Amino acid sequence: MDPLTSPPSLIDQVYQRLVDAIADGSLAPNERITQGELAHRLAVSRQPISHALQLLKRQGLVVEEGRRGLVVAPVRAEQILNLYQVRAALDGLASRLAAARVRKGDADPQEVGALKACFTAGRSLRDSASVHEWIEADVAFHSAIHILSGNSAIGETAADRWPHFKRGMGMALVKRERQKSVWVEHGDIYRRIMAGDPIGAEKAAIGHLQKAGAQLYAELSAQTNGA
């Protein structure tokens, strides 16, 4: 994590930096964290660190663990499966509505352009890109579909869960082969939306997320059983 500059909402900056570090594994599950160490690493005072940690505690991304104090919350197989079931439902609906708008000619050209730009940017990422960059490209692509759906409640519902969704993304995208395969699947969703195929787009989105959830669930379950 690089030092932060100081401007508008420092608490928000610290919070987002910590969410990103938890998502990409820079702060690993069960890792002990202290205000002093984080303040040093981010080059800020302890006050914004304290406020950001309180937000993370409320979201369940950090937890108290007896004498160890605060630690990054462990990732549980059942939790990941639940999150991906929610993502599949939300993104399936968003993709169907987005494709329907395209088919009817009701889609905002700027929103269509934004989705195209996000898809192009994600497909253009190089192998040298960081896990954080892969996560951000993934978030941007799915968020663009949420917007193109025309249903603001989808984006609002997802907003509260993005820190947890991003953590799941990070677990998947740390593997090189998945970084590429994810964008092959994104390509299927994207083409069906742009072709105005609501049923196909919904099916592709649901399949994409169900597959990711099942893979992560199996891996986490195996780790737990092997511990």
Side-chain angles (χ1 to χ4, degrees), residues 150-222:
N151 185 332
S152 60
I154 294 175
E156 292 166 1
T157 301
D160 289 340
R161 308 309 298 170
W162 268 123
H164 292 280
F165 292 161
K166 289 173 75 171
R167 199 176 192 194
M169 289 175 171
M171 293 173 59
L173 294 172
V174 72
K175 297 189 176 183
R176 185 68 62 189
E177 65 273 14
R178 285 194 186 160
Q179 293 172 354
K180 296 298 183 182
S181 65
V182 158
W183 283 93
V184 172
E185 293 170 17
H186 284 175
D188 188 25
I189 299 168
Y190 171 77
R191 284 186 287 274
R192 290 176 185 274
I193 290 174
M194 291 304 193
D197 176 9
I199 301 303
E202 180 178 38
K203 183 178 179 180
I206 291 174
H208 165 60
L209 291 161
Q210 286 181 336
K211 177 182 176 181
Q215 287 176 331
L216 289 174
Y217 177 78
E219 290 171 9
L220 286 168
S221 296

Side-chain angles (χ1 to χ4, degrees), residues 22-110:
I22 291 171
D24 68 20
S26 299
L27 289 174
N30 298 306
E31 181 175 342
R32 183 172 179 268
I33 52 180
T34 65
Q35 290 185 27
E37 180 184 358
L38 292 177
H40 174 73
R41 291 172 67 178
L42 295 175
V44 296
S45 69
R46 293 193 181 200
Q47 185 176 21
I49 296 291
S50 176
H51 285 293
L53 288 176
Q54 288 302 314
L55 291 173
L56 293 171
K57 282 179 67 176
R58 284 201 289 271
Q59 290 185 314
L61 289 171
V62 300
V63 294
E64 294 279 359
E65 194 179 80
R67 293 182 179 179
R68 293 189 69 205
L70 278 180
V71 300
V72 177
V75 183
R76 306 193 188 284
E78 195 67 33
Q79 176 193 26
I80 285 292
L81 185 62
N82 291 342
L83 286 169
Y84 272 83
Q85 287 173 343
V86 171
R87 282 199 66 197
L90 283 175
D91 278 66
L93 173 60
S95 298
R96 174 164 58 83
L97 293 177
R101 290 183 74 202
V102 170
R103 185 181 64 184
K104 294 176 182 177
D106 294 338
D108 184 320
Q110 290 188 332

